[in-house]
Amino acid sequence: MSVEVFYTAHEHPQLHATKPPGPSVRCILRYLAEGGANFVFHILPRTSDDALPPALEGRVLRLRKDLPHVQSAKEQAEAFQRHFEPLFAPQHLVQPELIALGDGFSSLVNASLATLERSAGRDTHSLSRHETYALLLADMTFNAPCTGFQMKPKWLAPSPSAPHGAKRCRTCALRASRVAHQRSTPTDAQAFCPLMLVSDDPRDRETAAKMVTSCPVLQRFLTYDASSLFSTLREGQTTFDPRGVLALTADASAVNELCKAMTLRDCTLFARHTSHGPVEARLADLDLKQPAKLPQWAKIEQTLTEQGWYTNEEDPQHWSRELMCQLSRGVKGV
Ligand SMILES: [Zn+2]
């Protein structure tokens, strides 16, 4: 699905549905992907002879869905700048940049989306007609599997809500419960324990790296060079959520800190390299989680504890000895 739009940068960068007065650049938006909260579009020149304006070169366009739990693009950008930008080096982040949307933009894109065959359950999602901004993000897509990967590092320390003597970290406990109930997600297919990524033993880190990518350059990056990035991520996860969702007080600042920790536990790491250049690695999906999810997070912790998933004492019908999680191998998680 492609749609033609017009780019101007008179006062600020803006995309228009119809040709505005004065100079503008025609470009094409092509549907790339969608998640629970946003659509992502490639931005292409109109023909192979045309060039994109520098502000759009190497960028994708992210448009938020018209769903109650999704913040506006402006709120998303502000939350990123306030909470997450200070934690990481700029070269390790996909930095969102605001771009204004002209009249009729959402209707134009929605009309095109309606013609596209999309996955069941998401095919009714559309753009908000009231949204006046979108976000430009670095395009971290790569052309061949050997030159890049994307992964979710997930929970890099054991859950503070887990019982004493846990044999599974939060990610492994949830994975085991989902596999038993045949509700696996793409992240569950990452067949390694996240604690391996931050293990003191480089052999653990290398084993995890080999599960992520077959590229030796990227494996080496994950085993050695990414360690400080993972450590910073883990530090944020544990500092912002020291006691766990079940011990959370009603205090607004504690709730906000937990939302930050949960965001850091669900972000995506993109990495890629060219034949001569260094590995480029950036964290994305740092969109501040909303407190509306608190009951869901608390329920997961309660279920994982009460049904014995943390301690590998689940119902005999589903039981299998945990072998993957670092905690089951007696490796201390933090
Ligand atoms: Zn684990």
Side-chain angles (χ1 to χ4, degrees), residues 47-177:
T47 71
S48 53
D49 293 332
D50 297 329
L52 282 176
L56 302 182
E57 188 65 55
R59 301 280 191 278
V60 292
L61 183 72
R62 200 177 81 174
L63 294 155
R64 69 126 167 163
K65 290 188 170 181
D66 189 13
L67 295 170
H69 70 278
V70 186
Q71 287 187 298
S72 72
K74 239 181 170 173
E75 287 169 328
Q76 289 176 0
E78 281 165 8
F80 171 85
Q81 281 163 3
R82 187 159 156 218
H83 300 300
F84 302 114
E85 201 171 23
L87 302 179
F88 303 96
Q91 69 269 24
H92 286 149
L93 290 171
V94 172
Q95 311 249 8
E97 294 162 38
L98 284 168
I99 183 165
L101 304 175
D103 290 344
F105 184 93
S106 300
S107 306
L108 177 73
V109 176
N110 279 336
S112 290
L113 283 170
T115 66
L116 192 68
E117 209 164 294
R118 290 155 57 204
S119 63
R122 286 184 174 163
D123 49 1
T124 55
H125 294 177
S126 59
L127 263 59
S128 167
R129 282 183 294 119
H130 307 294
E131 179 60 271
T132 49
Y133 285 93
L135 295 174
L136 291 171
L137 305 169
D139 180 4
M140 291 296 290
T141 54
F142 44 89
N143 295 325
C146 61
T147 57
F149 68 78
Q150 73 176 78
M151 64 163 310
K152 281 186 180 277
K154 302 303 287 183
W155 292 53
L156 295 171
S159 169
S161 306
H164 186 68
K167 290 194 168 60
R168 288 187 180 116
C169 68
R170 166 62 153 68
T171 309
C172 290
L174 192 58
R175 178 200 295 119
S177 109

Side-chain angles (χ1 to χ4, degrees), residues 31-334:
Y31 175 89
L32 174 64
E34 66 188 282
N38 301 288
F39 295 100
V40 181
F41 288 83
H42 267 312
I43 310 171
L44 306 166
R46 198 164 68 99
T47 71
S48 53
D49 293 332
D50 297 329
L52 282 176
L56 302 182
E57 188 65 55
R59 301 280 191 278
V60 292
L61 183 72
R62 200 177 81 174
L63 294 155
R64 69 126 167 163
K65 290 188 170 181
D66 189 13
L67 295 170
H69 70 278
V70 186
Q71 287 187 298
S72 72
K74 239 181 170 173
E75 287 169 328
Q76 289 176 0
E78 281 165 8
F80 171 85
Q81 281 163 3
R82 187 159 156 218
H83 300 300
F84 302 114
E85 201 171 23
L87 302 179
F88 303 96
Q91 69 269 24
H92 286 149
L93 290 171
V94 172
Q95 311 249 8
E97 294 162 38
L98 284 168
I99 183 165
L101 304 175
D103 290 344
F105 184 93
S106 300
S107 306
L108 177 73
V109 176
N110 279 336
S112 290
L113 283 170
T115 66
L116 192 68
E117 209 164 294
R118 290 155 57 204
S119 63
R122 286 184 174 163
D123 49 1
T124 55
H125 294 177
S126 59
L127 263 59
S128 167
R129 282 183 294 119
H130 307 294
E131 179 60 271
T132 49
Y133 285 93
L135 295 174
L136 291 171
L137 305 169
D139 180 4
M140 291 296 290
T141 54
F142 44 89
N143 295 325
C146 61
T147 57
F149 68 78
Q150 73 176 78
M151 64 163 310
K152 281 186 180 277
K154 302 303 287 183
W155 292 53
L156 295 171
S159 169
S161 306
H164 186 68
K167 290 194 168 60
R168 288 187 180 116
C169 68
R170 166 62 153 68
T171 309
C172 290
L174 192 58
R175 178 200 295 119
S177 109
R178 282 175 170 162
V179 168
H181 296 101
Q182 297 177 337
R183 287 199 306 255
S184 294
T185 65
T187 307
D188 295 330
Q190 288 181 180
F192 61 89
C193 169
L195 304 184
M196 295 168 82
L197 295 169
V198 286
S199 169
D200 289 338
D201 186 341
R203 289 170 300 181
D204 290 334
R205 303 198 302 268
E206 189 180 19
T207 302
K210 287 180 173 172
M211 299 285 188
V212 175
T213 171
S214 58
C215 167
V217 174
L218 293 171
Q219 284 173 1
R220 185 168 175 77
F221 169 80
L222 272 176
T223 306
Y224 297 101
D225 305 333
S227 293
S228 68
L229 182 58
F230 287 140
S231 294
T232 307
L233 202 48
R234 177 177 62 177
E235 193 184 331
Q237 294 178 0
T238 52
T239 306
F240 297 137
D241 178 22
R243 286 180 294 278
V245 63
L246 298 178
L248 192 68
T249 60
D251 149 36
S253 106
V255 170
N256 190 51
E257 297 280 285
L258 177 72
C259 287
K260 284 160 63 177
M262 293 304 282
T263 308
L264 293 173
R265 288 162 172 157
D266 197 34
C267 65
T268 304
L269 174 66
F270 286 92
R272 62 181 178 182
H273 76 100
T274 54
S275 51
H276 304 296
V279 173
E280 179 186 10
R282 294 178 187 272
L283 295 172
D285 298 334
L286 287 166
D287 302 306
L288 186 62
K289 304 271 183 199
Q290 298 303 297
K293 288 210 161 178
L294 280 172
Q296 185 189 334
W297 296 332
K299 185 154 191 300
I300 290 172
E301 292 292 352
Q302 268 166 349
T303 305
L304 294 178
T305 299
E306 288 168 12
Q307 296 184 0
W309 295 107
Y310 273 129
T311 47
N312 196 192
E313 295 169 318
E314 58 270 22
D315 189 309
Q317 187 193 339
H318 300 301
W319 188 86
S320 63
R321 184 179 300 283
E322 175 63 40
L323 299 170
M324 191 192 297
C325 188
Q326 288 285 85
L327 297 186
S328 73
R329 303 199 290 129
V331 179
K332 203 165 169 286
V334 282

